[in-house]
Amino acid sequence: MQRRHDPTYYWATRWLAPDVRPAVHALYGFVRTADEIVDGPRRPLDPEARRAALDRLEDELHEGLSRKGSSHPVIAALVDAGRRHDLPLGELRTYMRSMRVDCDPVRIATREELERYMDGSAAAVGRIMAPLLGAAPGEREAFGRLGTAFQLTNFIRDVPEDWRLDRIYLPGVAESDVAGGRATPGFRALVADEVARARSLFADSEGALAAAGPGMRTGMRVARGVYLGVLDRVEAIGFDVLRGRTGLRPWETACVATGAALRRGRAAA
């Protein structure tokens, strides 16, 4: 699932220690299953039906945790990962709260509303990932901030794609600008502010790299470098994410991975 739907994240995962990769795949599998209910090509057409499907998935997770197993392959894998690595899977309640927001058209109006959404959609997953990356319980919030930085970068990059799903996540964005594909000066200024905010979040998450186990840092650097590269690209196109190319080309992603590996080698030396 991870390789098919998110190859960048998949290859970053390949840099992690072999014993934690199955747990990362399991966590990805669960959040992707929820995402498919909300956004997938076979999603229920009615918002209430989507919420009901999310409720069933969450109930199945809670039942699997109580029974220590499940007939659902993704939940069985996640329950096993939670047991092996002492994962704080209760955070998934917060994640599912944000998924329910996406069942309806989304118009996030304030910074506080966006922060609340990202706390569920990204920071919660970061806090679950923290033990897999070698962090102590007291260091999990740094991983939550890193997850939020990833999520905000996605929102900056994906404004046109989100609009096609009837969603605007960045507060202050005018519907008329997005609908018309017009990167007005006001639109560009707003995106520039969000890029600066994302960079600040990445800077604040430096503690996550320091808190991670030595064998985990290369994978984190790869993922972090790829997302910082997206922000660089957004700046290079004058913050016109409505028409400009914002993703990295395969060779650019490969350069990021190579750079992370070289830094790993220098640190080991």
Side-chain angles (χ1 to χ4, degrees):
M1 290 174 71
Q2 191 178 11
R3 184 172 61 234
R4 180 168 66 251
H5 292 291
D6 197 337
T8 298
Y9 186 27
Y10 171 79
W11 286 109
T13 301
R14 296 293 296 171
W15 287 92
L16 299 178
D19 62 319
V20 304
R21 290 177 203 159
V24 176
H25 296 321
L27 177 59
Y28 179 87
F30 182 84
V31 299
R32 185 73 205 191
T33 298
D35 188 70
E36 287 294 300
I37 290 171
V38 175
D39 289 338
R42 299 180 181 178
R43 66 177 183 167
L45 295 178
D46 179 74
E48 286 302 321
R50 293 196 284 273
R51 277 189 283 270
L54 289 174
D55 290 344
R56 288 193 296 272
L57 179 65
E58 189 169 13
D59 289 344
E60 198 159 3
L61 173 62
H62 293 159
E63 184 177 349
L65 289 170
S66 63
R67 292 186 175 184
K68 298 180 173 57
S70 175
S71 60
H72 190 301
V74 168
I75 291 176
L78 185 57
V79 168
D80 179 71
R83 178 181 57 81
R84 289 177 185 270
H85 300 280
D86 193 25
L87 303 182
L89 295 181
E91 293 279 357
L92 288 172
R93 296 188 188 92
T94 308
Y95 175 82
M96 296 298 276
R97 179 192 70 199
S98 290
M99 289 301 96
R100 290 183 178 91
V101 171
D102 286 340
C103 290
D104 294 301
V106 175
R107 299 292 186 273
I108 289 184
T110 66
R111 169 58 46 186
E112 292 73 20
E113 189 179 350
L114 178 59
E115 294 289 347
R116 186 167 58 252
Y117 179 94
M118 292 193 298
D119 183 64
S121 68
V125 175
R127 291 189 289 265
I128 297 171
M129 281 288 297
L132 297 175
L133 298 171
E139 296 164 334
R140 289 175 183 170
E141 282 305 321
F143 292 83
R145 288 191 292 275
L146 182 59
T148 300
F150 289 150
Q151 178 74 89
L152 183 56
T153 302
N154 282 341
F155 286 158
I156 293 166
R157 179 193 64 194
D158 295 339
V159 171
E161 288 77 8
D162 289 333
W163 173 247
R164 285 192 281 272
L165 294 169
D166 204 6
R167 297 174 189 159
I168 295 178
Y169 290 102
L170 301 181
V173 167
E175 282 193 40
S176 58
D177 288 345
V178 184
R182 296 187 302 271
T184 62
F187 177 87
R188 291 174 190 257
L190 188 148
V191 173
D193 286 345
E194 296 297 343
V195 168
R197 196 182 306 273
R199 289 195 183 280
S200 177
L201 283 167
F202 277 118
D204 288 345
S205 68
E206 284 283 352
L209 275 174
M216 310 297 179
R217 292 171 190 162
T218 297
M220 292 176 65
R221 287 191 183 101
V222 169
R224 198 168 176 272
V226 167
Y227 276 79
L228 285 168
V230 170
L231 296 177
D232 291 342
R233 174 80 68 189
V234 171
E235 290 180 345
I237 61 175
F239 306 102
D240 183 2
V241 296
L242 298 177
R243 292 177 295 182
R245 179 190 175 95
T246 55
L248 298 185
R249 295 175 177 86
W251 66 267
E252 292 172 309
T253 302
C255 286
V256 170
T258 301
L262 290 173
R263 286 192 294 276
R264 177 187 183 184
R266 288 195 295 269

